[in-house]
Amino acid sequence: FSATGSQVLFDGFDKWGLYTFVGKLRFKFRNASDAFKYVESSGTVTDGNWHHVLAVNDQTNLKIYIDGVLSNSNADGSVGIVGVTDVRIGARWNNSLYTNGNIDEVAIWNNDQSSNISTIYNSGTPSNLSSLSPLAWWRFEEGSGTTAIDSGTGGNNGTLINGVAYSTDVPT
């Protein structure tokens, strides 16, 4: 990732999401009181390299892991809404703040996966996450077409819009 402006990596209808802010990654979460809380990576990720990110709300803390290591956390976690309907990957819920870069292997769970970070990260190589039962898991391995197949438990196939292109420049 190399851009320094605000770009949305994914957005759950403005209830939760991951985006860049001043070169850092920021995980936001709208709590039950309708207030936004967030945790931000401790360092920048705008070095042009692939990075693995795991963002967690365990209902007590918000945590963000970069490349398998806890980067930052705070006590802003709380009960909120996490779902896989109206998810935008590479754009905000209202189709703004598009990502200018590559995104691969997006998975969503409704529980804390911190204890599985080494399995999920797998030294930067995509793993088979089936045993962890993600609600949604878009691998982006189709190679062509306008459908992103959901390999998770929810069957929420996605529609690719605005000229999305597949790339071979992905972690293997």
mmCIF file of all heavy atoms in Angstrom, residues 8 41 45 84 86 89 100:
data_model
loop_
_atom_site.group_PDB
_atom_site.id
_atom_site.type_symbol
_atom_site.label_atom_id
_atom_site.label_comp_id
_atom_site.label_asym_id
_atom_site.label_seq_id
_atom_site.Cartn_x
_atom_site.Cartn_y
_atom_site.Cartn_z
ATOM 1 N N VAL A 8 -10.804 3.878 1.899
ATOM 2 C CA VAL A 8 -11.504 2.823 2.618
ATOM 3 C C VAL A 8 -11.105 1.466 2.057
ATOM 4 O O VAL A 8 -11.195 1.237 0.855
ATOM 5 C CB VAL A 8 -13.030 3.020 2.529
ATOM 6 C CG1 VAL A 8 -13.768 1.851 3.149
ATOM 7 C CG2 VAL A 8 -13.430 4.325 3.210
ATOM 8 N N SER A 41 -3.260 1.894 13.803
ATOM 9 C CA SER A 41 -1.965 1.221 13.843
ATOM 10 C C SER A 41 -0.917 2.164 14.421
ATOM 11 O O SER A 41 -0.998 3.378 14.263
ATOM 12 C CB SER A 41 -1.549 0.749 12.448
ATOM 13 O OG SER A 41 -1.383 1.841 11.556
ATOM 14 N N VAL A 45 1.748 2.229 7.137
ATOM 15 C CA VAL A 45 1.776 1.048 6.281
ATOM 16 C C VAL A 45 1.826 1.459 4.813
ATOM 17 O O VAL A 45 1.381 0.727 3.942
ATOM 18 C CB VAL A 45 0.567 0.123 6.540
ATOM 19 C CG1 VAL A 45 0.655 -0.501 7.914
ATOM 20 C CG2 VAL A 45 -0.731 0.877 6.365
ATOM 21 N N VAL A 84 -22.581 -8.958 7.475
ATOM 22 C CA VAL A 84 -21.956 -9.018 6.164
ATOM 23 C C VAL A 84 -22.867 -8.500 5.061
ATOM 24 O O VAL A 84 -22.577 -8.658 3.892
ATOM 25 C CB VAL A 84 -21.464 -10.449 5.847
ATOM 26 C CG1 VAL A 84 -20.339 -10.831 6.791
ATOM 27 C CG2 VAL A 84 -22.574 -11.452 5.914
ATOM 28 N N ASP A 86 -24.431 -5.396 2.984
ATOM 29 C CA ASP A 86 -24.022 -4.044 2.593
ATOM 30 C C ASP A 86 -22.559 -3.744 2.872
ATOM 31 O O ASP A 86 -22.196 -2.631 3.212
ATOM 32 C CB ASP A 86 -24.911 -2.977 3.272
ATOM 33 C CG ASP A 86 -26.339 -3.060 2.815
ATOM 34 O OD1 ASP A 86 -26.556 -3.270 1.615
ATOM 35 O OD2 ASP A 86 -27.240 -2.918 3.657
ATOM 36 N N ILE A 89 -16.050 -3.336 -0.230
ATOM 37 C CA ILE A 89 -14.608 -3.578 -0.188
ATOM 38 C C ILE A 89 -13.980 -2.631 -1.193
ATOM 39 O O ILE A 89 -14.328 -2.641 -2.370
ATOM 40 C CB ILE A 89 -14.281 -5.047 -0.515
ATOM 41 C CG1 ILE A 89 -14.935 -5.970 0.520
ATOM 42 C CG2 ILE A 89 -12.770 -5.261 -0.573
ATOM 43 C CD1 ILE A 89 -14.853 -7.433 0.197
ATOM 44 N N ASN A 100 -7.102 2.948 -3.935
ATOM 45 C CA ASN A 100 -6.263 2.869 -5.115
ATOM 46 C C ASN A 100 -5.132 1.899 -4.783
ATOM 47 O O ASN A 100 -4.061 2.299 -4.341
ATOM 48 C CB ASN A 100 -5.716 4.251 -5.484
ATOM 49 C CG ASN A 100 -4.880 4.207 -6.739
ATOM 50 O OD1 ASN A 100 -4.922 3.230 -7.484
ATOM 51 N ND2 ASN A 100 -4.113 5.244 -6.972
#
